[in-house]
């Protein structure tokens, strides 16, 4: 199984959603997990992981990850070419390196040159930026490139994003 996470913030709440799918090319999810927590602190520049990591870890506790091949996060795994940890890197270490983490970011981060891959999908001229830990970067980029969907954002990553924005749970 593969898991894709996204967290959406509103008021003092955070809604974390995870879609589970079996193969990189799957057009639909096998299962959806979600959790809303309250008492979320304000965003602090340079410390985003402190805000989102607890949300992802909390939801992960409800999922049997025994057969998990990879986790995809919305954002960066590393923040520079010296592998300064981003959200995904902290998650990788939290999981004791047992599950590869792939970061998919919509916007470039200039401090990373060699530790990211730009992936063009569909007819888009604007790439997605892929980072990872526990998986070769070329393989991570290839996996994202071959996810279902004719557009820049893969179908299931679009789905996890839209589910997060639904404020009814």
């Amino acid at each position: 199984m593969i898991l894709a996470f996204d967290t959406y913030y509103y008021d003092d709440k955070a809604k974390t959603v995870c879609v589970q799918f079996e193969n990189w090319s799957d057009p639909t999810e096998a299962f959806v997990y979600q959790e809303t927590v309250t008492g979320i602190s304000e965003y602090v520049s340079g410390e985003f992981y402190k805000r989102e990591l607890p949300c992802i870890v909390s939801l992960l506790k409800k999922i049997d990850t025994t057969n998990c091949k990879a986790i995809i996060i919305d954002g960066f795994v590393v923040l520079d070419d010296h592998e300064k940890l981003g959200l995904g890197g902290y998650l990788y270490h939290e999981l004791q390196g047992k599950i590869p983490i792939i970061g998919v970011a919509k916007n470039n981060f200039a401090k990373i040159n060699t530790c990211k891959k730009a992936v063009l999908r569909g007819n888009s001229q604007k790439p997605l930026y892929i980072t990872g830990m526990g998986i070769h970067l070329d393989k991570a980029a290839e996996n994202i490139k071959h996810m279902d969907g004719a557009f820049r954002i893969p179908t299931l990553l679009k789905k996890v994003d839209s589910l997060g924005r639904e404020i009814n749970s």
Side-chain angles (χ1 to χ4, degrees):
M1 87 166 127
I2 304 157
L3 303 172
F5 282 84
D6 201 359
T7 301
Y8 185 74
Y9 300 94
Y10 58 100
D11 302 326
D12 72 335
K13 298 177 180 78
K15 180 179 179 183
T16 302
V17 178
C18 171
V19 294
Q20 175 185 320
F21 53 104
E22 301 307 316
N23 300 296
W24 290 102
S25 60
D26 286 355
T28 58
E29 72 279 1
F31 201 80
V32 174
Y33 306 90
Q34 48 189 317
E35 178 180 63
T36 301
V37 295
T38 59
I40 300 300
S41 59
E42 291 295 316
Y43 169 76
V44 176
S45 180
E47 297 182 353
F48 172 69
Y49 72 94
K50 289 183 180 178
R51 187 177 198 209
E52 190 151 329
L53 183 63
C55 300
I56 294 172
V57 170
S58 177
L59 186 54
L60 265 173
K61 289 178 182 176
K62 299 177 179 182
I63 303 169
D64 178 3
T65 60
T66 305
N67 296 313
C68 188
K69 295 186 270 187
I71 293 174
I72 303 167
I73 59 131
D74 178 18
F76 290 93
V77 177
V78 296
L79 300 177
D80 65 22
D81 289 329
H82 301 288
E83 296 190 346
K84 178 181 177 184
L85 299 181
L87 170 63
Y90 284 103
L91 178 59
Y92 182 75
H93 288 292
E94 178 77 22
L95 299 174
Q96 300 172 335
K98 294 179 182 173
I99 302 172
I101 308 296
I102 299 171
V104 178
K106 295 170 202 78
N107 297 305
N108 197 5
F109 194 65
K111 291 184 179 182
I112 312 169
N113 293 306
T114 60
C115 290
K116 75 178 172 201
K117 287 276 182 185
V119 170
L120 290 172
R121 289 179 36 91
N123 293 325
S124 178
Q125 295 304 306
K126 187 172 182 186
L128 295 172
Y129 298 94
I130 311 304
T131 53
M133 277 193 165
I135 184 170
H136 192 280
L137 187 55
D138 290 335
K139 181 67 174 163
E142 193 71 17
N143 289 338
I144 300 303
K145 184 170 186 143
H146 289 101
M147 287 181 76
D148 182 74
F151 302 104
R152 178 178 180 235
I153 310 295
T155 303
L156 291 174
L157 298 188
K158 208 178 275 189
K159 172 95 181 221
V160 74
D161 177 69
S162 68
L163 288 171
R165 293 175 189 276
E166 292 175 3
I167 304 174
N168 61 1
S169 63

